[in-house]
Amino acid sequence: MTVATAPAVRDANLAVLDREGLDALVAALVADGRTVVGPTVRDGAVVLAELSSAQELPYGWGVELDAGRYRLAPREDGAAFAHSAGPQSWKNWLHPAHERLWSADRRPDGTVDYTVEAEEPPSYAFLGVRPCDLRAIAVQDRVLTGGLHEDSRYGARRRRALLIAVECTEPGATCFCVSAGGGPQAGPGYDLALTEVVDDAGHRFLVRVGSEEGARLVERIPHRAADPVTEDTARESVEAARDRMGRALPTGDLRELLAASSDADRWNDVAARCLTCGNCTMVCPTCFCTTTEEVTDLTGDHTERWQRWDSCFDLDFSLLHGGPVRASASSRYRQWLTHKLSTWYDQFGSSGCVGCGRCIVWCPVGIDLTEEVAALDAEHRAREEAEHRAREEADRP
């Protein structure tokens, strides 16, 4: 496909695309042999799927979110990215839920042929990466490619992936990225960052270039120089989104709070509601735990090892020779929340939560992480006040 090239952009790191330009961007990525993954409407939700054209984007659709609730909502402005994070994240492609690691076949003479899976990873282009998910990818990079034990399969996929972020102008009712240390603006790590603008001047996308490959892409597609109106409108829309988060974590040091709350009564309260289904870990963009399993055919001459996602809510996750370490629902929920917001720092130098709100939306009983942390904070403060009063009483003559 031949795409007309526009005149050079005034600022090499800033440009404007209209819908035709967005169409051309996706067409250029497909022509390059990339597997383009982005949002589309399917089965009553905005999901991530392979796209062959920008026409498959969810133009005119937003979402209504609450704890345990997700609904599509039509929009009159025809925006393509005016929706919050759906049930999937990009880890579904970078860190698949199920993949074969190796296989082995026994020959008639008793020798064994051992084959390691070494397929060339796809060359992905992720279109519509939210700032929270951009941070989540950076977190998984630290977990899975940092340190001594790199996941080589993840690393191969990640190195070949091109990231096109989309800044948030319509945060959902369960979003809390600002209080989780992020924001609706795209941070580092993208190749291109888009900010969608729909107003009287038309439907367009302000583009920031974040890499040389991103710059080359922009030069191949129809675009124009960024004008002050589009720049100001895009910036103001993103800034306004910061003040419209639907949820917030408590202020203060959550690491200390969780460390001091191991025996809090609130764990029993949440355990009475939690189904330990693991939905929160499955939709979380940073959860990375896996297990391996071997399968054989009926003859026993062929076997395969598969890696699949695991969850700390699974009773067998902490199974040792004497039984599971965390047999109760309260201990498993405590493990998940404490690791996510506290001990993750000890391992990887950051929080494991990016504030996307997926765990709230896709919990079947509507457990709200921000509500649980606020309750733990209130209980901790009440306990400290009671202890302070008791010390004062003891010190009185």
Side-chain angles (χ1 to χ4, degrees), residues 150-210:
E150 177 181 354
D151 184 330
S152 59
R153 288 174 171 78
Y154 174 92
R157 297 185 193 100
R158 179 67 181 89
R159 284 188 290 273
R160 290 169 60 88
L162 182 137
L163 306 185
I164 303 175
V166 172
E167 296 190 309
C168 287
T169 57
E170 295 285 343
T174 55
C175 293
F176 58 98
C177 64
V178 172
S179 64
Q185 71 280 0
Y190 58 82
D191 294 282
L192 295 175
L194 312 182
T195 309
E196 187 170 25
V197 176
V198 185
D199 57 17
D200 293 340
H203 191 169
R204 58 209 186 277
F205 305 86
L206 181 70
V207 183
R208 294 205 312 275
V209 174

Side-chain angles (χ1 to χ4, degrees), residues 302-324:
H302 177 81
T303 187
E304 299 176 352
R305 170 171 284 189
W306 288 77
Q307 177 178 279
R308 62 171 176 81
W309 288 353
D310 204 354
S311 172
C312 53
F313 283 91
D314 188 338
L315 183 62
D316 289 341
F317 183 82
S318 62
L319 182 66
L320 298 178
H321 64 279

Side-chain angles (χ1 to χ4, degrees), residues 27-62:
L29 292 168
V30 172
D32 287 344
R34 287 191 176 273
T35 300
V36 181
V37 180
T40 190
V41 173
R42 183 177 299 170
D43 300 326
V46 177
V47 301
L48 299 176
E50 186 174 340
L51 305 179
S52 59
S53 139
Q55 299 304 313
E56 298 175 71
L57 292 168
Y59 287 106
W61 288 103

